[in-house]
Amino acid sequence: MTTMGAGMDGQVGRRRGALLAATTVAAALALTGCGAGDSGAKDTAGSAAEAPAANGGAGRDAAANAPEGTGAGAPDLRVDQRAIIYTGTMRVQVDDVDAAAREAAAVTTRAGGFVGGDQRHSADDDAVAELELRVPAAEFAGVVEEITKLGRQQSREINTQDVTEETVDLEARITSQRARVESARRLLARATSITDLVSLENELGRREADLASLEAKKRRLADLTALSTITVSLAGPKAKATEEKAETGFLVGLRGGWKAFVVSMTVLLTVLGALLPWLVAFGVPLAVLLVVLRRRRKTPALVGPVSAPPPVPATRSAP
């Protein structure tokens, strides 16, 4: 009995020892897990805290480097990103108009453009050549300076027109109109009656016409923005200036009045010369007819004399 009691006591002690060891290991593992969780939470919190700080620093750097007056969603307003139409008018006096015109055409061709119009007046020292040059917008200023060097510049006028908003508006309208055309085509494909078919065909035709008009406007704007226009007048040494000084005074008024009188008399004589054949053709017969009628009216009529009635005696009143 003593031996059995001692054995049972030993087994109970071993079980308690094993249970205590298992409890100790579980507690150690729990502590280790809590520590790891706290560390991970701290690391995560630290990373989360560092990320906004880093982003904030980068944002501050970007804001510091960004130009003033621009926002995150602001459009690009650089000149090279805008649609601008350049037009210019120049008058240059040269010694040889033909040679200067050939040089202006060569300058335009080298810049990647072409001559859109060429008009010549006279062939002497008072000759004038009117050239319409179409050059790329990027070469506009350079071509103007090259043409100025051909002679003595008398006048220059440069104009610009910003059509960026109009271009963007056309793009949006074209996109919307294309969607409307596709919608009409889908409805036309599902039409089941003649009435619906005719109505949808007319509507589709109107929408396609509107789309074609918008696309034509877009092509026109694209042409004007891609190729600038320069109107050049090359004048000879004795060519008159386009702008003359206004003159006043009695003699100036007298010359003006005499010129107006001469012009009026010229016009009057021209009209009379044009009417003279008609007057001769119709006036002479009409005059003869009037003379004949007047003579007939003057012929006396044969009428007998009329006797006067007898006098009527006066009546007397009774006494």
Side-chain angles (χ1 to χ4, degrees):
M1 292 292 294
T2 303
T3 304
M4 292 178 61
M8 292 178 63
D9 292 338
Q11 291 179 357
V12 172
R14 285 194 297 273
R15 290 178 180 175
R16 288 179 179 176
L19 181 60
L20 181 60
T23 304
T24 303
V25 171
L29 290 176
L31 291 176
T32 303
C34 291
D38 294 340
S39 299
K42 290 180 181 180
D43 292 341
T44 303
S47 301
E50 291 175 359
N55 294 335
R60 286 192 297 270
D61 293 341
N65 295 330
E68 296 181 0
T70 59
D76 192 353
L77 300 179
R78 293 179 300 175
V79 176
D80 57 351
Q81 299 295 328
R82 303 190 69 85
I84 300 178
I85 299 174
Y86 295 92
T87 55
T89 304
M90 302 177 59
R91 182 179 175 88
V92 181
Q93 188 176 30
V94 296
D95 297 331
D96 190 344
V97 173
D98 292 335
R102 288 193 296 270
E103 181 62 24
V107 170
T108 304
T109 304
R110 287 196 299 268
F114 61 91
V115 179
D118 187 348
Q119 296 182 0
R120 308 291 177 94
H121 306 282
S122 181
D124 301 326
D125 292 340
D126 60 346
V128 177
E130 300 283 346
L131 304 179
E132 182 179 337
L133 310 179
R134 301 297 306 278
V135 298
E139 305 293 335
F140 178 80
V143 172
V144 169
E145 295 300 327
E146 289 290 334
I147 293 175
T148 303
K149 298 176 182 178
L150 297 178
R152 186 172 63 88
Q153 178 178 281
Q154 293 182 337
S155 63
R156 178 197 292 190
E157 183 179 355
I158 304 298
N159 297 316
T160 59
Q161 182 182 0
D162 191 345
V163 292
T164 305
E165 295 182 1
E166 187 175 354
T167 303
V168 174
D169 180 66
L170 273 178
E171 290 285 353
R173 293 173 63 186
I174 288 174
T175 302
S176 175
Q177 192 65 24
R178 285 175 179 170
R180 296 185 65 206
V181 169
E182 292 299 327
S183 176
R185 288 176 179 173
R186 288 193 297 268
L187 291 175
L188 181 62
R190 294 196 298 265
T192 57
S193 64
I194 299 298
T195 304
D196 294 343
L197 184 64
V198 173
S199 177
L200 290 173
E201 284 182 348
N202 293 334
E203 181 65 22
L204 178 59
R206 286 193 294 268
R207 294 185 180 184
E208 288 178 342
D210 293 341
L211 178 60
S213 176
L214 293 175
E215 290 178 343
K217 291 180 180 179
K218 179 184 176 182
R219 289 193 297 269
R220 177 61 177 169
L221 281 180
D223 176 70
L224 292 175
T225 54
L227 293 176
S228 302
T229 303
I230 306 175
T231 303
V232 182
S233 298
L234 301 174
K238 296 183 180 180
K240 295 182 179 180
T242 55
E243 297 181 359
E244 298 180 354
K245 296 182 179 179
E247 298 180 356
T248 57
F250 175 76
L251 295 179
V252 175
L254 182 61
R255 286 197 299 268
W258 176 252
K259 290 180 180 179
F261 174 74
V262 171
V263 171
S264 301
M265 292 302 299
T266 303
V267 173
L268 179 60
L269 293 175
T270 302
V271 173
L272 290 177
L275 294 178
L276 184 59
W278 299 92
L279 293 176
V280 173
F282 295 98
V284 173
L286 183 61
V288 173
L289 181 61
L290 291 176
V291 170
V292 172
L293 293 176
R294 185 174 297 177
R295 287 181 179 180
R296 288 183 178 180
R297 289 179 180 178
K298 289 182 179 179
T299 302
L302 298 177
V303 180
V306 179
S307 59
V312 178
T315 58
R316 292 182 179 182
S317 60

